[in-house]
Amino acid sequence: MAVRNPSAHVDSWYSRSATPSPARPPLQGRDTADVVVLGAGLTGLSAALELAQAGLKVIVLEARRTGWGASGRNGGQVIFGYGCDQAKIAAMVGREASKALFDWSVEGVELVKRRIADHGIDAHWRDGHAHVAIKPRHVDELKGWQADLADTYGYPVQWWDREQLRAQLPSPRYLGALYDPRSGHLHPLNYTLGLARAAEAAGVRIHEGSEVLSLQRGARPVLRTAEGEVQAGFVVLAGNALAYRIAPELDDKIMPVGTYVGATEPLGEERARALIRNGMAVADINWALDYFRLSADHRLLFGGRASYSTLPPPNLAGTMRARMTRVFPQLRGVQFDSVWGGLIDISLNRAPHWGRLGDNVYFAQGFSGHGVAATGLAGRVIAEAIRGQASRLDAFARIPHRNFPGGRALRTPLLVAAMAWFKLRDALW
């Protein structure tokens, strides 16, 4: 049978520069496995790799191409922590549990680096990340965060004043930064594709073009596609914002949000290095934040302009250029070669939502824009639970999560209104 070519990756600098990856055949007919995974993104592939290395038979079902979703087109920033402040997690689960969760997030960063090395993945890894302050209140917030990270979590990061920051990032916009040499950035699609190759080498079978249409629960649950089905001892739901109605009780706990990234035309090595001299990734701490870094071929990759209505903003490239030149006036006139976006999932409290449904259906969602490292950790933690060591998954499952208000009809308009308030707050205070 000829292998059909599922829809291509979203056009982006990532897909244009990715290591070639062959199309994988769709699922046809009935099959069985120890574990079947929905979603060939970072969470699903991480779980699949861990489980296959432990000797289990694993099948992964992917609706499009491997890494087609947020895993293959995000900002590429690999950072400790989660999508909400650690202080919020501490308020929900207590200081001791929060310390464990934080330590595991650092493990997630180290796991990315170790997998790149162990599996020879050409992910363009660069060390270093800075959270930057735009306003005096941001300076106070970052200094408070630095003290809390050191005193409560034993995680030292560096405070750079404006002069120290401008020695590395000559932008007039920022007043200071928290710099972490252990975090960093990478080519997310190359990393995801490399993880898929590692999983296949361990025995995992990946079927692309195999959208899951239903989950039949029971002692041996079944995932069904248009042309086949897989029955397994365990199911892992790792579709995040793109898996809808498979497990309805999960749907109202997350909201799809559009995020966007652009890649400039090539700047040349000298001009690019003059923008970020140490090659670090950068993110501000506004609610509607900007984040950026340099590519391996000397472009600026610039992200921001989230859409809480899920509709792409009008004149996206023009809006992104305006945001970019506010950070780097010296790039006025520079064009984007490509601008792309897609959906991520956020939880109401921005904390990770990981757990199980019954005894044999596991899930991870709610990465809230902070998932490159946390997804790998989620896959590992779920794999541990499937193998009988559930203490870490149980710790995450104790984080309380509420539904987004308003039901299906009103929750998106309510979120859009709330985000308008936060953007106004960013602008005025």
Side-chain angles (χ1 to χ4, degrees), residues 3-51:
V3 175
R4 284 178 292 171
N5 184 17
S7 58
H9 287 100
V10 170
D11 184 33
S12 68
W13 178 78
Y14 296 140
S15 62
R16 296 177 189 181
S17 61
T19 302
S21 179
R24 296 162 171 97
L27 176 70
Q28 291 198 316
R30 295 180 177 179
D31 209 336
T32 61
D34 297 313
V35 184
V36 59
V37 178
L38 184 160
L42 290 173
T43 303
L45 293 171
S46 175
L49 175 60
E50 296 271 345
L51 291 164

Side-chain angles (χ1 to χ4, degrees), residues 146-168:
Q146 179 193 27
D148 189 44
L149 286 171
D151 297 344
T152 304
Y153 301 100
Y155 192 85
V157 292
Q158 303 168 26
W159 170 253
W160 290 354
D161 62 21
R162 186 170 193 168
E163 183 177 346
Q164 289 172 291
L165 177 60
R166 292 199 70 172
Q168 302 297 336

Side-chain angles (χ1 to χ4, degrees), residues 2 27 30 59 85 103 129 191 198 277 286 339 364-365 408:
L27 176 70
R30 295 180 177 179
I59 294 176
D85 294 340
D103 289 345
H129 183 277
Y191 177 60
R277 294 185 177 122
N286 268 337
V339 178
Q365 60 180 23
R408 292 273 175 230

Side-chain angles (χ1 to χ4, degrees), residues 12 87 107 123 217 229 244 288 375 409 412:
S12 68
E107 177 189 335
R217 306 189 200 193
E229 63 180 48
Y244 179 56
T375 45
T412 293

Side-chain angles (χ1 to χ4, degrees), residues 109 124 172 187 197 335 390 406 412:
V109 175
H124 305 179
H187 187 304
R197 288 191 294 273
Q335 302 297 313
T412 293

Side-chain angles (χ1 to χ4, degrees), residues 45-66:
L45 293 171
S46 175
L49 175 60
E50 296 271 345
L51 291 164
Q53 288 175 332
L56 279 69
K57 179 183 177 183
V58 184
I59 294 176
V60 178
L61 303 178
E62 167 57 44
R64 306 279 188 122
R65 295 296 307 275
T66 299

